[in-house]
Amino acid sequence: MTVHNFYMFDRYGQLLFYAEWNRLRQSGITREEEAKLMYGMLFSIKSFVSRISPLDNTSGSREGFHCYRTSKYALHYMETPTGLKLVLNTDNVAVNVHELLKQIYSQVYVEYVVKNPLCNLSEPIKSDLFEAQLDAVVKQSHVFTSKPT
Amino acid sequence: MSRQGARLDAKKVNSELFTLTYGTLVSQLLKDYENVDEVNKQLERMGYNIGIRLIEDFLARTGSGRCYDFKDTAEKIQAGFRIFLGVSPTISNWGPGGDEFSLIFESNPLTEFVELPDHCLNLKYCNILAGVLRGACEMVQMEVTSWFVQDQLKGDNVTELRVKFIKRLEDAIPAGED
Amino acid sequence: MVIYSVYIVSKSGGLIFNYDHSVPKIETEKTYSFPLEHKLVYQNKQIVVAFGQRNGVMVGHVLLGVNGAPVNGRTIEDEKNPRDAFEVLENPENYPINLKFGRPKMSTNEKIFLASMFYPLFAIASQLSPQPRTSGIQSLEADTFRLYCFQTLTGVKFILIVEPSQTGADLLLHRIYELYADYALKNPFYSLEMPIRCDLFESNLQSLLEQSEKAGISSV
């Protein structure tokens, strides 16, 4: 199993943070354009999901949408009620990636960005501590530890 | 690079230090602004800035989802007071449309040693709480307003904070989408 | 297992077939007193519950009827006296009032729109891939359903919406593909890329879905 890359967006669609580990292919566009494309796709998927859904969403979770899989990779998505959006791309055999996303939110973002009064919440994250902590949490995760297939 | 070792143990931090810090802050504001209304406004604004951060900690701790009814919101606000201030206000006096309620505090750690001097009877000493609620709710796409109806500092039996739902805020839409 | 619906999207992105197998109807009717406990807003030509989810009426439900008269747009279609729904609801004199709310049913136009919306998502998912040579979206998990998509080498997409606990619908999608090849493509009066209106296809599909609902998806 392996983790490819990570995107974090704020509620207005601004890219707050990007990181990659085993990314095997670049999209061929700038990071900024790639982020816009990613956010636009997520927005459309959310709207698609809420309209095509045959039932009411009663779980109270904001997103409705959890993940999609292609032949090679899976995109895992988490959105908090405050509109923070976390995206993690893994290979498509990875399991329990949602737990990892929750962990990134509660143990890395909340601890090292929200509780750091010097971090402006509406600007891209420049904290080294955040970056190091994110890297550690991802690398310790069972999703990452098994070698790439 | 973990800083776990330097974390404060919540059980060991003296709550009176917290009460004292807040009191000093309010009295310094009074000296600086020399105007009670302005101080009320500043306290609310500070609370707002706390609220927009504190909500993330609340969500991370409780794992709670989005509210679809103001009753859920009321319960979550109540839980928030329990988590962060260690008090459990009661929810009461629901408005007929279900969009307005009161939080009743029997005790309030912020006001434990406080006596309001005569020249600032209009001071909303705990107005920071109203700001926290506004900031936190705004982050979850809800506009609310809140104000103190009764205040133990002004001789009332209990402190009553009224919370009213104003409207749902819309999500941001990326450029180029309809 | 529960199969909700099947969509077939042509190579150019048009919806050529849709079949709703078991889409539940969700409606609630109740008599209310003033003031109304749900917050309503007018969006996309419907009156929608924006907040105040209680007694079976969920956020996102649409106001369908007032005192037995249907609501169209924001108008109560009372034969003698059509009125603006918001004006009626704001006036305490009109209470108690009977209101019917429900989950909006998708119109054909909306289905066509959604099918054309899935098409670029499928392509972008492949463009944003961190790995080389990736397909588009093959499955999508949401709170309330799971979507499976199978794209044939000729570019036709078969989309299946099933209950969320259901895994591995590939076999069923292949069976639907076979039915398509048999009853649509081999029908000399069916023209490619056009909506499929073949009774034989539909009845065979229906029995296939019923069979896999009863016996489990892997038995087809």
Side-chain angles (χ1 to χ4, degrees):
Chain A
M1 292 195 277
T2 187
V3 174
H4 296 303
N5 53 356
F6 171 75
Y7 300 80
M8 186 154 105
F9 297 95
D10 72 4
R11 61 206 297 210
Y12 304 109
Q14 178 181 214
L15 182 68
L16 291 180
F17 197 78
Y18 174 81
E20 63 184 46
W21 290 271
N22 298 304
R23 183 167 182 167
L24 307 168
R25 172 185 167 271
Q26 297 296 331
S27 56
I29 49 180
T30 64
R31 180 78 65 234
E32 197 184 336
E33 284 171 19
E34 184 182 296
K36 271 189 197 152
L37 192 60
M38 173 64 81
Y39 186 81
M41 176 181 73
L42 294 171
F43 188 88
S44 304
I45 287 183
K46 273 177 26 176
S47 147
F48 176 81
V49 163
S50 71
R51 290 205 215 177
I52 208 163
S53 171
L55 303 168
D56 294 311
N57 183 357
T58 49
S59 72
S61 81
R62 177 92 194 277
E63 59 264 47
F65 159 65
H66 298 301
C67 80
Y68 72 65
R69 284 168 210 281
T70 70
S71 61
K72 293 280 182 63
Y73 81 104
L75 176 142
H76 303 266
Y77 178 72
M78 169 178 149
E79 183 174 334
T80 68
T82 51
L84 188 79
K85 296 163 184 73
L86 294 89
V87 181
L88 197 67
N89 286 323
T90 67
D91 63 7
N92 59 12
V93 291
V95 288
N96 283 337
V97 182
H98 234 75
E99 292 307 311
L100 176 59
L101 283 171
K102 276 187 199 158
Q103 207 184 343
I104 292 174
Y105 171 62
S106 61
Q107 292 174 19
V108 186
Y109 177 73
V110 171
E111 294 295 312
Y112 295 93
V113 176
V114 176
K115 291 187 185 172
N116 178 352
L118 300 179
C119 276
N120 185 333
L121 299 186
S122 53
E123 277 175 15
I125 299 164
K126 293 191 193 78
S127 155
D128 292 341
L129 199 56
F130 172 81
E131 195 174 338
Q133 207 63 29
L134 172 71
D135 191 60
V137 165
V138 170
K139 282 184 176 161
Q140 276 160 21
S141 149
H142 68 92
V143 183
F144 193 86
T145 43
S146 349
K147 281 278 160 247
T149 43
Chain B
M1 271 183 83
S2 172
R3 283 187 183 172
Q4 293 301 328
R7 295 297 302 261
L8 293 172
D9 181 347
K11 289 190 195 78
K12 286 182 187 151
V13 181
N14 189 317
S15 70
E16 287 175 14
L17 175 67
F18 166 69
T19 309
L20 194 60
T21 310
Y22 184 70
T24 313
L25 177 94
V26 177
S27 78
Q28 188 64 42
L29 280 175
L30 267 172
K31 276 180 206 142
D32 291 351
Y33 284 100
E34 297 171 344
N35 175 334
V36 172
D37 291 337
E38 191 58 29
V39 173
N40 290 340
K41 215 194 280 172
Q42 288 300 326
L43 285 173
E44 205 272 348
R45 198 176 292 170
M46 281 180 200
Y48 173 84
N49 288 330
I50 295 175
I52 59 173
R53 284 172 186 261
L54 204 60
I55 180 72
E56 301 278 8
D57 194 40
F58 176 80
L59 294 171
R61 279 177 198 238
T62 58
S64 59
R66 188 177 203 178
C67 298
Y68 291 107
D69 187 49
F70 213 43
K71 284 211 163 91
D72 303 339
T73 314
E75 281 163 19
K76 283 178 182 159
I77 290 175
Q78 189 186 35
F81 274 102
R82 206 156 38 230
I83 293 173
F84 296 112
L85 273 186
V87 291
S88 296
T90 27
I91 302 168
S92 70
N93 302 348
W94 276 97
D99 57 356
E100 221 182 311
F101 66 91
S102 290
L103 292 163
I104 311 282
F105 298 84
E106 301 279 340
S107 67
N108 179 350
L110 290 180
T111 57
E112 215 175 331
F113 313 110
V114 179
E115 284 178 52
L116 281 190
D118 291 342
H119 67 275
C120 47
L121 285 175
N122 284 329
L123 178 67
K124 295 171 188 158
Y125 187 83
C126 297
N127 218 26
I128 198 157
L129 298 181
V132 172
L133 295 188
R134 182 169 69 90
C137 288
E138 187 187 292
M139 289 300 281
V140 286
Q141 293 81 42
M142 222 185 304
E143 189 179 327
V144 303
T145 177
S146 63
W147 64 96
F148 285 94
V149 184
Q150 299 187 70
D151 191 342
Q152 283 167 326
L153 290 180
K154 290 165 191 165
D156 297 315
N157 274 333
V158 291
T159 298
E160 176 178 354
L161 181 60
R162 190 102 183 123
V163 186
K164 184 172 167 42
F165 173 86
I166 308 280
K167 63 169 194 266
R168 274 318 270 269
L169 302 163
E170 289 305 317
D171 279 359
I173 297 170
E177 296 272 349
D178 64 339
Chain C
M1 70 164 298
V2 182
I3 299 167
Y4 294 122
S5 30
V6 177
Y7 295 79
I8 303 178
V9 180
S10 75
K11 190 180 174 182
S12 52
L15 181 67
I16 54 172
F17 182 79
N18 158 253
Y19 175 72
D20 284 338
H21 186 59
S22 46
V23 174
K25 195 171 166 189
I26 302 165
E27 285 180 2
T28 332
E29 202 167 342
K30 199 190 147 201
T31 304
Y32 291 88
S33 53
F34 189 81
L36 194 60
E37 60 195 18
H38 311 294
K39 304 273 173 208
L40 306 178
V41 292
Y42 185 66
Q43 54 178 224
N44 297 331
K45 295 183 183 143
Q46 288 173 319
I47 299 177
V48 182
V49 179
F51 197 60
Q53 168 168 307
R54 48 180 82 179
N55 304 328
V57 177
M58 316 293 271
V59 167
H61 278 188
V62 166
L63 180 63
L64 299 170
V66 176
N67 289 336
V71 174
N72 186 3
R74 50 185 296 157
T75 318
I76 301 169
E77 301 280 358
D78 195 332
E79 274 176 35
K80 290 169 206 137
N81 178 20
R83 288 172 299 170
D84 181 271
F86 280 102
E87 280 173 24
V88 171
L89 294 174
E90 274 156 23
N91 187 348
E93 284 171 17
N94 293 319
Y95 288 75
I97 197 167
N98 179 281
L99 303 178
K100 185 158 91 176
F101 291 96
R103 187 172 170 82
K105 261 195 115 41
M106 252 193 289
S107 64
T108 310
N109 269 340
E110 210 173 347
K111 285 174 181 164
I112 293 173
F113 177 76
L114 282 177
S116 63
M117 191 168 167
F118 187 70
Y119 190 78
L121 295 178
F122 187 86
I124 297 171
S126 149
Q127 194 188 345
L128 286 172
S129 171
Q131 288 213 34
R133 290 182 303 281
T134 309
S135 73
I137 297 173
Q138 289 181 334
S139 74
L140 187 151
E141 291 165 32
D143 277 333
T144 47
F145 67 92
R146 225 176 239 255
L147 174 151
Y148 288 93
C149 174
F150 166 63
Q151 179 169 248
T152 69
L153 290 174
T154 52
V156 181
K157 290 184 189 65
F158 292 85
I159 299 169
L160 200 58
I161 312 278
V162 297
E163 65 178 345
S165 56
Q166 188 60 46
T167 54
D170 304 346
L171 219 63
L172 180 56
L173 279 167
H174 270 274
R175 290 283 292 126
I176 299 174
Y177 184 26
E178 283 169 25
L179 291 181
Y180 166 76
D182 281 349
Y183 295 102
L185 296 188
K186 290 181 191 166
N187 176 352
F189 299 103
Y190 171 69
S191 33
L192 276 179
E193 297 270 316
M194 293 307 282
I196 304 173
R197 289 202 185 87
C198 311
D199 287 343
L200 268 179
F201 175 69
E202 196 157 335
S203 60
N204 275 284
L205 176 69
Q206 194 176 349
S207 58
L208 171 67
L209 297 181
E210 275 163 13
Q211 187 196 336
S212 46
E213 274 197 330
K214 272 195 209 110
I217 208 160
S218 50
S219 68
V220 287

